[in-house]
């Protein structure tokens, strides 16, 4: 097995086992999707209008929950030092970790979203657009999140700072993701899918390099 | 290439030069402020906006500084990462709160201007939204600095964040062209600002820049002195 695959499967295994947080993210997502309709009232027309945006915000926040474990847990128990010494470059390791985070968080959130969209009375085409947009956009959430996770990995209270530095950078994902749902609902072409795909690809390709730099700076001191 | 610059990157030499320059810079800043206020208040009322056009003189320079200060931070962060110089670390760190205040000032004055002109305190327009994001980027940067105890490590890590956050600068700049919603387009460089408003604006812009340089230098000096004091206390 190549070092890349070894790290990927290890991270995946850790995420689904006890204390991994993959299931917690799903629970958090489902709770957001339950609380918002209870808060704003059961008007399905209003909820359908907001649904795309709310579910996107919920998914992004849920994906952030498990980010502090991406590097921090490995830093605390020393395995990050071993990963840094392995034949796999830190950039490659960061990419493997981002991929594992997406497979254990972004993908399940995407698959759960059609079920939760029932709460918001989304039409069939809107549900398809939402699922598609999450499939395209959640890799960007994992990738941008990994930058924040790498910069805060040695902080004791990194979990509090992480959302503050990651969420402003996720504005395009939420905006264009919800934009795809809006396009399906209104029928007005807005090109959101192109922007979302571009952002997601660029973030996934560039963030391993930034995250590896962040890990290096934290391990050096 | 930057040899001439690094001669002043020596903290002792920097303290000498900045200490000699600061009184002059402060005097120049106060003088331009007085001139700008006089010119601004003697400018004629706009035929549509009346006296509210005066907000232009504090809003536009603040908004320009909101991005320019970030650009200063990015340059300092680059020097911090590449040359690992302590003065670059301190310069990047001290620019952030100043930039955050300029951004907040731009948001508040824009809101006060938006109410009479657009009929609303806030719209989710491209320029407004990207400026608000800019404010949060400053806050995140400051929070990260304060959370990391080791100053040298904090400087490097925050420098990476500053470089990542730089993607927002072109978004702010071109937001008025990409989403042509409510905020008006570029009108200074394109010569669409009439003379009676242009001159007070330019003087006020000069004041904002001088003010930033004065506050920045003062803050850098304070941090260098603080660091010196700490090492003295540690040695005693």
């Amino acid at each position: 097995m190549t070092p890349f695959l070894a790290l990927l499967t290890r991270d995946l295994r850790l995420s689904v086992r006890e204390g991994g947080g993959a299931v917690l993210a799903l629970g958090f997502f489902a709770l957001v999707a339950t609380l918002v309709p209870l808060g704003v009232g059961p008007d399905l027309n209003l909820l359908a209008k907001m649904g795309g945006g709310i579910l996107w915000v919920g998914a992004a926040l849920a994906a952030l929950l498990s980010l502090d474990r991406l590097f921090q847990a490995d830093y605390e128990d020393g395995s990050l030092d071993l990963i840094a010494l392995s034949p796999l470059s830190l950039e490659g390791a960061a990419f493997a970790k981002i991929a594992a985070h997406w497979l254990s968080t972004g993908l399940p959130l995407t698959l759960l979203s059609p079920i939760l969209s029932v709460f918001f009375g989304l039409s069939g085409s809107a549900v398809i657009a939402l699922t598609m947009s999450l499939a395209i956009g959640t890799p960007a959430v994992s990738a941008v999140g990994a930058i924040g996770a790498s910069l805060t990995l040695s902080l004791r209270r990194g979990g509090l700072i992480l959302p503050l530095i990651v969420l402003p950078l996720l504005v395009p994902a939420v905006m264009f993701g919800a934009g795809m749902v809006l396009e399906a609902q209104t029928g007005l072409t807005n090109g959101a899918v192109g922007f979302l795909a571009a952002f997601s690809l660029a973030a996934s390709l560039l963030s391993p390099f930034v995250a590896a730099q962040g890990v290096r700076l934290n391990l050096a001191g | 290439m930057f040899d001439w610059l690094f001669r002043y990157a020596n903290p002792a030499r920097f303290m000498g030069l900045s200490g000699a320059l600061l009184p002059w810079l402060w005097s120049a800043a106060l003088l331009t402020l007085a001139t700008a206020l006089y010119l601004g208040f003697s400018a004629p009322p706009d035929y549509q906006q009346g006296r509210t056009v005066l907000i232009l003189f504090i809003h536009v320079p603040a908004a320009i500084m909101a991005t320019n200060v970030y650009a200063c931070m990015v340059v300092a962060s680059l020097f911090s990462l590449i040359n690992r110089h302590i003065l670059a670390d301190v310069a990047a760190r001290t620019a952030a709160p100043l930039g955050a205040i300029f951004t907040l000032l731009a948001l508040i004055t824009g809101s006060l201007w938006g109410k009479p002109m657009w009929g609303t305190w806030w719209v989710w327009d491209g320029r407004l939204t990207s400026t608000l994001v800019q404010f949060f980027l400053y806050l995140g940067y400051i929070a990260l600095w304060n959370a990391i105890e080791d100053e040298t490590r904090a400087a490097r890590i925050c420098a990476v964040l500053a470089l990542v956050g730089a993607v927002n600068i072109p978004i702010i700049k071109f937001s008025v062209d990409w989403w042509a919603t409510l905020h008006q387009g570029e009108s200074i460089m394109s010569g669409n600002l009439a003379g009676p408003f242009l001159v007070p604006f330019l003087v006020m812009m000069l004041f904002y820049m001088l003010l930033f340089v004065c506050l920045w230098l003062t803050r850098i000096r304070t941090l260098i002195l603080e660091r010196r004091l700490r090492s003295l206390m540690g040695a005693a």
Side-chain angles (χ1 to χ4, degrees):
Chain A
M1 200 189 301
T2 65
F4 181 85
L5 277 180
L7 185 59
L8 183 74
T9 46
R10 167 190 175 269
D11 268 33
L12 275 179
R13 236 181 262 140
L14 280 175
S15 69
V16 291
R17 292 197 178 155
E18 199 172 344
V23 186
L24 291 178
L26 291 178
F28 179 86
F29 188 35
L31 271 171
V32 170
T34 311
L35 277 182
V36 170
L38 292 177
V40 298
D43 178 1
L44 276 181
N45 287 325
L46 178 67
L47 288 174
K49 261 190 205 162
M50 312 190 321
I54 304 274
L55 288 170
W56 245 102
V57 171
L61 291 177
L64 286 189
L65 276 185
S66 50
L67 267 178
D68 59 329
R69 304 191 53 84
L70 197 61
F71 294 110
Q72 198 177 15
D74 285 347
Y75 174 77
E76 279 163 3
D77 68 11
S79 26
L80 196 60
D81 290 304
L82 293 179
I83 292 171
L85 288 174
S86 78
L88 186 62
S89 67
L90 263 180
E91 284 79 7
F95 193 76
K97 282 183 154 294
I98 292 167
H101 183 264
W102 181 72
L103 287 171
S104 64
T105 315
L107 188 60
L109 288 171
T110 305
L111 297 177
L112 182 63
S113 65
I115 301 170
L116 295 181
S117 62
V118 173
F119 292 171
F120 292 85
L122 291 186
S123 65
S125 59
V127 174
I128 294 171
L130 173 72
T131 318
M132 288 287 293
S133 73
L134 283 170
I136 297 171
T138 41
V141 178
S142 294
V144 174
I147 296 178
S150 76
L151 295 176
T152 56
L153 69 88
S154 63
L155 302 183
R156 248 172 296 140
R157 317 184 84 201
L160 289 175
I161 300 208
L162 188 62
L164 193 59
I165 65 178
V166 169
L167 283 175
L169 299 169
L170 284 180
V171 168
V174 174
M175 213 168 82
F176 295 124
M180 273 179 71
V181 182
L182 214 63
E183 190 179 71
Q185 286 172 329
T186 59
L188 298 170
T189 318
N190 58 21
V193 60
F195 286 108
L196 184 65
F199 178 71
S200 197
L201 278 174
S204 310
L205 277 177
L206 296 176
S207 92
F209 294 94
V210 183
Q213 196 58 37
V215 172
R216 241 174 239 128
L217 289 171
N218 270 299
L219 288 182
Chain B
M1 177 175 155
F2 291 109
D3 282 352
W4 59 273
L5 190 65
F6 289 137
R7 234 179 302 141
Y8 295 100
N10 174 328
R13 201 166 291 177
F14 169 83
M15 291 301 275
L17 184 71
S18 61
L21 279 178
L22 265 178
W24 296 98
L25 287 171
W26 272 118
S27 324
L30 290 178
L31 202 67
T32 33
L33 175 64
T35 318
L37 285 178
Y38 173 74
L39 288 174
F41 279 109
S42 55
D46 184 74
Y47 80 103
Q48 271 183 325
Q49 307 195 7
R51 297 306 282 176
T52 54
V53 74
L54 289 179
I55 301 176
L56 180 144
F57 302 133
I58 52 171
H59 170 73
V60 184
I64 292 176
M65 291 311 286
T67 48
N68 283 9
V69 173
Y70 199 90
C72 292
M73 255 171 70
V74 169
V75 173
S77 299
L78 274 175
F79 279 115
S80 166
L81 277 177
I82 298 169
N83 305 94
R84 311 188 163 242
H85 202 286
I86 185 165
L87 202 61
D89 299 355
V90 177
R93 176 184 192 175
T94 47
L98 297 173
I101 293 294
F102 280 125
T103 315
L104 190 63
L105 192 63
L107 287 169
I108 292 174
T109 53
S111 181
L112 292 174
W113 202 5
K115 187 64 186 167
M117 288 305 117
W118 299 339
T120 172
W121 300 108
W122 183 263
V123 284
W124 289 101
D125 156 276
R127 178 62 63 87
L128 279 70
T129 310
S130 52
T131 306
L132 184 64
V133 169
Q134 183 70 40
F135 181 62
F136 289 129
L137 284 173
Y138 277 120
L139 288 192
Y141 179 91
I142 297 168
L144 188 60
W145 246 109
N146 292 337
I148 306 175
E149 273 163 37
D150 181 80
E151 279 185 33
T152 316
R153 190 198 283 195
R156 308 282 182 269
I157 290 173
C158 290
V160 174
L161 180 64
L163 295 186
V164 173
V167 289
N168 194 40
I169 299 291
I171 297 181
I172 295 185
K173 165 84 181 117
F174 295 111
S175 56
V176 284
D177 307 322
W178 293 342
W179 299 276
T181 39
L182 204 45
H183 195 287
Q184 70 173 88
E186 212 294 309
S187 51
I188 310 291
M189 300 302 251
S190 50
N192 287 332
L193 190 63
F197 302 116
L198 185 63
V199 175
F201 162 76
L202 288 176
V203 181
M204 195 55 122
M205 189 70 240
L206 185 64
F207 161 69
Y208 268 74
M209 289 183 181
L210 283 169
L211 178 70
F212 168 63
V213 171
C214 290
L215 291 173
W216 199 19
L217 288 179
T218 309
R219 192 78 190 108
I220 294 175
R221 288 170 59 82
T222 314
L223 278 195
I224 291 178
L225 289 175
E226 223 175 70
R227 207 181 270 247
R228 233 181 245 174
L229 182 67
R230 225 176 309 136
S231 62
L232 283 175
M233 305 258 284

